[in-house]
Amino acid sequence: MLASNALAWWAPAIRAGQAVRWPYGTAETAPVDDRDVADVVARALYDPDLAGGDHVLTGPESMTQAAQVRAVGEALGLPVPFEEITPEEFRRVSEGSAPGAVVDMLLGAWNAAVGRPAHVTTAVADLLGEARTFRRWAADHAAAFRPAAS
C-alpha cells in the first residue's frame, strides 16, 4: 500500500470534519511513503547492482487501518473518528469511483489481513538508510487533510 492512498480514501471526509467510514479497520498494512519509492527507483536507475533486482518495498511498520486514521488525526492535532462499515456498504459507496474488480480485490486483501501483521521488509532502509513511517508521512502531508476554515 502506498501511504498516499490515504489522500484519496480518507482526506475528503477528514477535510469535511466527518468520520472516516471504512471497512476492516483492524486490517493491517505497511504503507510505504511514495517518496521512498521514488528514491529507491532513482537509486536503481544509477546503481547497476540494483538494476533488475526484486525489491519488495513496504513501510517500516504494520499498522491497522484505524491506527493509520488516528495517525492522521494526531498529525492534525484533531480527533478523527473511525467508523467501521460493512464490505457491502463499501461496495455501494465506492460505486462509480473504482472498478468493481478493484473494490473486490481491496476487500479481499483487507479481509485476509484482519488480525495478521502486514508483511514488512527492510528493503527501503537497506537501500536508503531509513524508511519513512506512516506517522511521518501523515505529519508531512497534514495540510492536505486539514479541514477548511469556516
Side-chain angles (χ1 to χ4, degrees):
M1 289 292 183
L2 293 171
S4 63
N5 287 339
L7 293 170
W9 292 345
W10 305 327
I14 295 169
R15 280 193 302 266
Q18 300 170 348
V20 171
R21 301 182 74 245
W22 206 251
Y24 299 112
T26 59
E28 296 194 34
T29 65
V32 62
D33 190 309
D34 306 61
R35 297 169 296 184
D36 286 343
V37 174
D39 291 347
V40 168
V41 169
R43 178 148 181 226
L45 288 172
Y46 73 81
D47 185 340
D49 293 335
L50 298 178
D54 186 11
H55 310 287
V56 178
L57 307 181
T58 71
E61 66 180 325
S62 178
M63 294 178 74
T64 67
Q65 296 191 105
Q68 292 169 43
V69 170
R70 279 193 306 276
V72 171
E74 290 165 7
L76 292 170
L78 302 168
V80 176
F82 182 93
E83 293 179 9
E84 183 92 18
I85 62 172
T86 66
E88 294 73 28
E89 187 172 357
F90 183 74
R91 280 188 184 89
R92 277 194 307 278
V93 299
S94 298
E95 201 169 303
S97 64
V102 171
V103 171
D104 289 343
M105 181 273 306
L106 289 170
L107 288 170
W110 294 329
N111 182 41
V114 170
R116 303 175 77 151
H119 177 71
V120 175
T121 70
T122 61
V124 171
D126 293 346
L127 294 169
L128 303 178
E130 178 186 12
R132 293 173 180 101
T133 65
F134 184 81
R135 285 175 182 81
R136 179 173 171 193
W137 179 91
D140 291 347
H141 293 83
F145 293 92
R146 197 160 311 284
S150 302

